[in-house]
Amino acid sequence: MKKYIFLLVVLFIFIQINCFSSDVNFEKMGEYPTSGYYCEKDNQAAIYPYLYFANQYGLEIYELDASDDVVDLISRLPLYGDSRSINIKNNFAYVITISSSENYYQIYQIDICNPEAPTIINEITFYGEENFAKGYIFGDYFITKYDDNQYNNYLKIIKIPELQYMDDYQYSGAPFIKLNDSTAIKYNNNNLYTLYDFSDPTNITELNQVNLPGTDLDNPSNFKLLNDTLVVAVSNDGLSFWNITDLFNWNLISMLAAPPNTWWCENVCYNGTDLIFIPHITNYTGVTSIHIADITNPYIVDSIYINPPYYFISLGDMSLIGNSIFLGTWHKINQLTHTLGYFNNKEEIYSNYHTNNGNIYNNYFYLVFDYGLGIYDITYPQNMVRVNTLLDNNCLSSAIVKDNMLALIDYGEDKIKIFSLSDAVNPTLRNEITISYAVSADEILFNNDENIYYVSEYPNPELKKYDISQPGVSTLEFSYDLGTGGNGFIYNDHLYYLAEYDNSYDLKIIGGITEDDPELILTIEEFVQNFHFPNMFNIGNKFYIYDTSSYNPSLPRFYQINDTIDIEYMFSTNQHCGGRFFIDNNKIYISGYYSNLYVYNLTNIDCDTIDPIQEYEDFGSSVECLLFEHDNKDYLYHIQRTAVSVYEIEENGVNTQPSNKNIYLTSHPNPFTNSTSISFTSKTPINENQQIKIFNIKGQKVRSLSLRKSENTENGMLQYSATWDGKNENKQKVAPGIYFSKIESEEKTYVNKMLLMK
């Protein structure tokens, strides 16, 4: 019996070794922020002249030049998780980041004494709770909202600046709204509100109930304290102003109804004297200015609109600095300037959108944003430089490269566009196919010939084949009714299509597409179940199905096609994966559902459910990962919604800390128009008098910049930075064009290429 138990233990250890052995090393070569997400509940803070944004990538800090109302990005600090809210007190920023798929959230304490080099001082993590991404500071306490798995509502009370967890406070009903530094208000019912004492949040007590009758407006959803005795209450259909000299007996001063067919949103900005600003939604999103010098007779001064495609969420945040209002939308910060409440201008101070996917052709990287195609030179993988932008006003998705052609869906113009990559930097439109109606979920698929296949979602799920063998000519070969919505891939001249039926998903195998005579060969009913919104990708005969739902997604399943209809289940994983993957040296490299990278070993799979042999947590929301083979080395490009990370893949050994070769020189934004932040990362200190030198394309020195030092507490690497404003030593603006930043270390000279645009 003992011998039998011993053999079982040995077998168990052998299986564990096969399922969990690790022999891959990621070496991070560079990271290139591409965009942000600027529409959340409390993700802005403004302290003149700085504007702070918490977004999916991390913390961004902008500086306002009051002389010309120009706003420049001066620093970016990546944070793990999706940054949702920010509060500031005493030179510290408190940022809440969430990771819903991993069921945890974090609170970061960030030193912002030097806004050009923010530094993480402390952090605290909470598991098994869903955070509402909304926080308040009451005196010496930071308070955030969350609920547990049973949907009970709590306040998380944390002492600052120690960032020490103190207690939870359970409550029911509507959320608390901060009124002042010691008081919160909470809706009860029928215009009845309750005041609470928050002077000691570890001992929250009810003060009194306040009745707010006598208005024709909906129940207010937010309150803004304008001074010690004046409060504005915000309803969707208007504003009401209250005197709170007696905190327990509010007196209505005046009301201002929203214009017809207008919905006023929660957030209000006050300039401290005679104007307030409120975002609104009519047919378009906009901002309204309201004059309140005579509080008994408030009136609308002006309104300005932000036209589509720049959407806005009603809970989005807004800030005011000087004569500028900053409104976050999905992908951009909108800067609205005014004079005495009359709007002068609107600017978009950040130009990139969320990344949809990417493709690599030769030494060029084609990154598809929601609006526009960015083309990057990756001849030097650690130095990714944008060299061109196409279709920057078009709604793009579902791009794919085959041979020397790039195909994508423009769902703004309802077209499939195929570009020739003969000139990789300046692709030319080769074929254009007009489709009836395109949505971002539509797919384009290449086969092993000069045809393109289109899987449409709406108005009818169909597979369409087009002959694009001749430039400028696109011929519809057939249109095949798929019956129901879904997604798929083409392998060995067959379409494998995952179709939804009655909350389960059938796998349809459709042949005859090469012969222009599509035919359903086999339907595997209920191929997957318990998936919310499944998607699938393939590499050759291997594919996997993953759940795109953000709420309790099912775990992915991997399969192998042995023959046309012989599909073999391979394994499942305990990790939430998503997006395209690649296979290299019999290992699968795949991006995690939120921000992780995973590597799975395809040899000796003895487990039904396996864990990765290596994983690495990155920043931002994952999209997919690509393989780039260059100079006999393998690189992994991790595409995220807001950034691209570049890794060198090394076999044997596990070391997630950067090595000496992780010394690199980068700049962001690149290209740039006003200024760019140049960063240099090194494992060893540099001379204190070391400078970054800027040269033009002729090799003439333009400028020398002193370096600022800050230590990266994540891995001990030393970081140095400098900001170049596009001017020479005489403070004169240089001409647009290509410039180079250069620095010399003990090991070698590092050069970074930059593009200054008009």
Side-chain angles (χ1 to χ4, degrees):
M1 182 68 180
K2 291 182 179 179
K3 181 177 179 181
Y4 176 72
I5 294 175
F6 174 76
L7 290 175
L8 285 177
V9 171
V10 171
L11 177 61
F12 174 77
I13 294 173
F14 175 76
I15 292 174
Q16 295 298 306
I17 291 173
N18 278 312
C19 293
F20 302 110
S21 61
S22 180
D23 59 354
V24 174
N25 180 27
F26 293 134
E27 294 287 356
K28 196 165 194 175
M29 306 297 294
E31 184 168 274
Y32 308 93
T34 57
S35 63
Y37 180 84
Y38 305 100
C39 193
E40 275 300 341
K41 301 177 183 67
D42 291 304
N43 68 333
Q44 294 188 44
I47 301 177
Y48 186 86
Y50 299 108
L51 178 66
Y52 303 85
F53 261 101
N55 61 37
Q56 282 188 342
Y57 181 75
L59 174 64
E60 289 183 349
I61 304 179
Y62 295 80
E63 184 175 14
L64 174 68
D65 184 345
S67 62
D68 53 11
D69 289 322
V70 173
V71 178
D72 286 323
L73 175 66
I74 61 173
S75 63
R76 266 189 142 202
L77 178 67
L79 300 173
Y80 293 114
D82 181 356
S83 304
R84 292 291 186 86
S85 74
I86 181 171
N87 287 262
I88 293 179
K89 183 173 183 179
N90 296 336
N91 291 320
F92 290 112
Y94 298 90
V95 178
I96 300 174
T97 71
I98 66 172
S99 180
S100 56
S101 64
E102 303 297 336
N103 200 26
Y104 73 87
Y105 66 94
Q106 294 175 292
I107 301 173
Y108 287 94
Q109 182 185 26
I110 302 169
D111 186 341
I112 55 172
C113 286
N114 180 4
E116 295 182 346
T119 305
I120 298 172
I121 299 298
N122 201 358
E123 62 188 81
I124 187 170
T125 305
F126 299 97
Y127 294 92
E129 302 167 352
E130 183 171 344
N131 190 274
F132 288 95
K134 197 173 182 72
Y136 299 109
I137 291 179
F138 288 89
D140 294 328
Y141 295 90
F142 180 69
I143 296 178
T144 182
K145 301 189 300 180
Y146 78 92
D147 66 15
D148 60 17
N149 294 330
Q150 285 74 45
Y151 303 103
N152 298 308
N153 297 324
Y154 295 88
L155 298 180
K156 181 78 67 179
I157 303 166
I158 298 168
K159 186 76 163 56
I160 56 174
E162 300 88 344
L163 207 65
Q164 177 185 358
Y165 165 69
M166 302 298 293
D167 200 1
D168 287 345
Y169 177 84
Q170 186 173 1
Y171 69 96
S172 60
F176 289 90
I177 300 172
K178 180 178 177 179
L179 192 61
N180 57 37
D181 206 35
S182 61
T183 311
I185 189 169
K186 184 172 176 293
Y187 176 69
N188 192 348
N189 58 62
N190 297 326
N191 289 316
L192 192 65
Y193 291 78
T194 305
L195 295 172
Y196 289 82
D197 182 1
F198 270 64
S199 57
D200 179 7
T202 62
N203 185 29
I204 297 172
T205 56
E206 182 177 334
L207 291 174
N208 198 7
Q209 291 188 335
V210 177
N211 193 16
L212 303 183
T215 75
D216 297 325
L217 307 176
D218 290 340
N219 295 322
S221 57
N222 195 25
F223 297 87
K224 175 77 172 180
L225 190 69
L226 302 181
N227 56 43
D228 291 340
T229 62
L230 183 62
V231 164
V232 56
V234 184
S235 302
N236 289 338
D237 54 356
L239 305 177
S240 55
F241 298 87
W242 302 82
N243 185 305
I244 60 167
T245 302
D246 181 353
L247 186 61
F248 302 142
N249 185 23
W250 294 22
N251 292 310
L252 178 65
I253 301 173
S254 60
M255 294 185 297
L256 179 65
N261 302 316
T262 299
W263 178 25
W264 278 353
C265 305
E266 287 189 359
N267 290 290
V268 173
C269 289
Y270 177 45
N271 73 345
T273 56
D274 57 357
L275 289 169
I276 62 175
F277 299 87
I278 185 167
H280 68 259
I281 299 176
T282 53
N283 292 328
Y284 302 123
T285 294
V287 176
T288 296
S289 58
I290 300 169
H291 194 274
I292 60 168
D294 179 3
I295 199 64
T296 64
N297 185 32
Y299 62 89
I300 293 174
V301 178
D302 197 10
S303 290
I304 190 171
Y305 295 92
I306 303 170
N307 297 328
Y310 313 124
Y311 305 109
F312 174 70
I313 292 179
S314 60
L315 295 177
D317 209 356
M318 188 171 71
S319 294
L320 177 66
I321 307 179
N323 292 322
S324 293
I325 300 99
F326 298 95
L327 178 66
T329 55
W330 289 103
H331 314 284
K332 294 193 176 186
I333 303 169
N334 297 272
Q335 180 187 7
L336 314 173
T337 58
H338 75 97
T339 301
L340 301 178
Y342 292 94
F343 293 103
N344 306 319
N345 195 17
K346 57 184 178 182
E347 297 287 342
E348 296 167 339
I349 64 174
Y350 201 69
S351 59
N352 288 322
Y353 294 89
H354 274 188
T355 309
N356 281 330
N357 62 359
N359 296 269
I360 294 175
Y361 174 71
N362 290 342
N363 290 331
Y364 292 93
F365 187 30
Y366 300 87
L367 200 58
V368 180
F369 298 95
D370 283 348
Y371 297 93
L373 173 71
I375 303 174
Y376 297 81
D377 184 344
I378 55 172
T379 303
Y380 303 100
Q382 72 277 14
N383 188 23
M384 186 170 132
V385 178
R386 184 183 290 200
V387 293
N388 200 1
T389 301
L390 296 178
L391 305 173
D392 55 357
N393 290 315
N394 296 57
C395 309
L396 307 180
S397 70
S398 190
I400 191 169
V401 169
K402 180 184 181 294
D403 298 331
N404 68 338
M405 289 188 292
L406 168 69
L408 51 85
I409 292 177
D410 185 334
Y411 61 92
E413 295 185 1
D414 293 333
K415 291 182 179 179
I416 301 173
K417 295 181 178 180
I418 300 107
F419 290 85
S420 169
L421 300 180
S422 298
D423 182 346
V425 177
N426 299 289
T428 55
L429 188 63
R430 184 183 187 276
N431 299 78
E432 192 170 62
I433 303 169
T434 299
I435 50 185
S436 58
Y437 189 93
V439 297
S440 58
D442 290 352
E443 298 176 277
I444 46 179
L445 309 168
F446 272 121
N447 201 6
N448 296 322
D449 48 33
E450 293 184 322
N451 296 305
I452 193 167
Y453 296 85
Y454 168 56
V455 177
S456 65
E457 285 283 316
Y458 185 87
N460 300 306
E462 292 179 311
L463 171 67
K464 296 184 178 183
K465 176 184 176 182
Y466 294 91
D467 182 350
I468 56 169
S469 57
Q470 298 298 319
V473 179
S474 303
T475 305
L476 178 64
E477 299 294 317
F478 67 75
S479 180
Y480 178 77
D481 184 5
L482 292 169
T484 184
N487 57 82
F489 61 86
I490 290 177
Y491 170 69
N492 198 21
D493 296 331
H494 289 76
L495 172 67
Y496 293 80
Y497 186 72
L498 196 63
E500 181 180 8
Y501 287 100
D502 298 327
N503 297 320
S504 66
Y505 293 83
D506 299 347
L507 183 65
K508 292 183 175 183
I509 304 174
I510 299 168
I513 60 177
T514 304
E515 298 80 12
D516 299 337
D517 186 20
E519 165 185 27
L520 179 63
I521 295 177
L522 178 68
T523 297
I524 305 177
E525 296 183 353
E526 298 183 348
F527 188 74
V528 293
Q529 301 181 53
N530 302 319
F531 275 61
H532 302 285
F533 303 104
N535 204 347
M536 62 181 182
F537 281 107
N538 78 301
I539 295 291
N541 69 330
K542 293 180 175 61
F543 70 96
Y544 85 114
I545 300 174
Y546 68 95
D547 198 339
T548 62
S549 171
S550 60
Y551 178 75
N552 193 26
S554 297
L555 295 170
R557 299 169 61 87
F558 287 78
Y559 299 86
Q560 178 172 293
I561 303 172
N562 296 322
D563 199 357
T564 301
I565 61 174
D566 180 12
I567 299 176
E568 176 187 1
Y569 166 75
M570 296 175 64
F571 59 85
S572 295
T573 75
N574 289 313
Q575 293 74 36
H576 298 290
C577 303
R580 275 190 288 173
F581 65 98
F582 66 85
I583 298 175
D584 187 43
N585 291 331
N586 218 21
K587 297 178 181 64
I588 289 180
Y589 294 79
I590 195 167
S591 60
Y593 180 81
Y594 190 74
S595 60
N596 286 46
L597 291 169
Y598 300 110
V599 185
Y600 299 96
N601 198 339
L602 293 179
T603 59
N604 301 319
I605 298 176
D606 297 313
C607 315
D608 178 74
T609 301
I610 70 172
D611 281 328
I613 61 172
Q614 181 62 286
E615 63 179 287
Y616 189 92
E617 186 175 9
D618 215 329
F619 307 106
S621 178
S622 292
V623 177
E624 61 190 17
C625 55
L626 303 176
L627 175 66
F628 178 48
E629 298 177 359
H630 179 75
D631 197 21
N632 296 320
K633 294 181 181 179
D634 288 342
Y635 297 92
L636 183 152
Y637 278 75
H638 182 205
I639 303 173
Q640 300 143 83
R641 286 295 183 191
T642 55
V644 176
S645 298
V646 184
Y647 298 86
E648 184 177 337
I649 302 172
E650 293 185 344
E651 300 290 334
N652 303 318
V654 178
N655 175 22
T656 58
Q657 301 300 324
S659 65
N660 284 330
K661 67 182 177 183
N662 281 76
I663 302 173
Y664 56 88
L665 181 66
T666 61
S667 60
H668 180 79
N670 189 10
F672 68 101
T673 54
N674 295 315
S675 67
T676 185
S677 178
I678 303 170
S679 300
F680 177 65
T681 305
S682 173
K683 196 166 187 178
T684 58
I686 63 173
N687 188 293
E688 61 181 9
N689 297 320
Q690 190 83 346
Q691 291 184 319
I692 288 180
K693 297 179 181 179
I694 311 296
F695 296 86
N696 61 23
I697 199 168
K698 297 179 181 179
Q700 300 166 327
K701 190 176 81 168
V702 173
R703 184 85 173 268
S704 294
L705 302 171
S706 298
L707 289 163
R708 301 178 299 272
K709 175 187 172 184
S710 64
E711 184 174 353
N712 185 331
T713 57
E714 287 290 323
N715 52 33
M717 298 290 284
L718 299 176
Q719 293 184 339
Y720 304 85
S721 64
T723 299
W724 184 41
D725 56 7
K727 297 179 181 179
N728 59 22
E729 298 286 8
N730 298 322
K731 304 297 183 180
Q732 297 173 328
K733 195 75 173 179
V734 299
I738 295 175
Y739 291 86
F740 299 90
S741 57
K742 185 172 81 169
I743 189 170
E744 295 179 358
S745 72
E746 294 181 359
E747 293 90 353
K748 59 180 292 188
T749 297
Y750 296 89
V751 178
N752 171 56
K753 183 166 65 174
M754 304 173 292
L755 178 59
L756 173 60
M757 302 180 70
K758 292 182 180 180

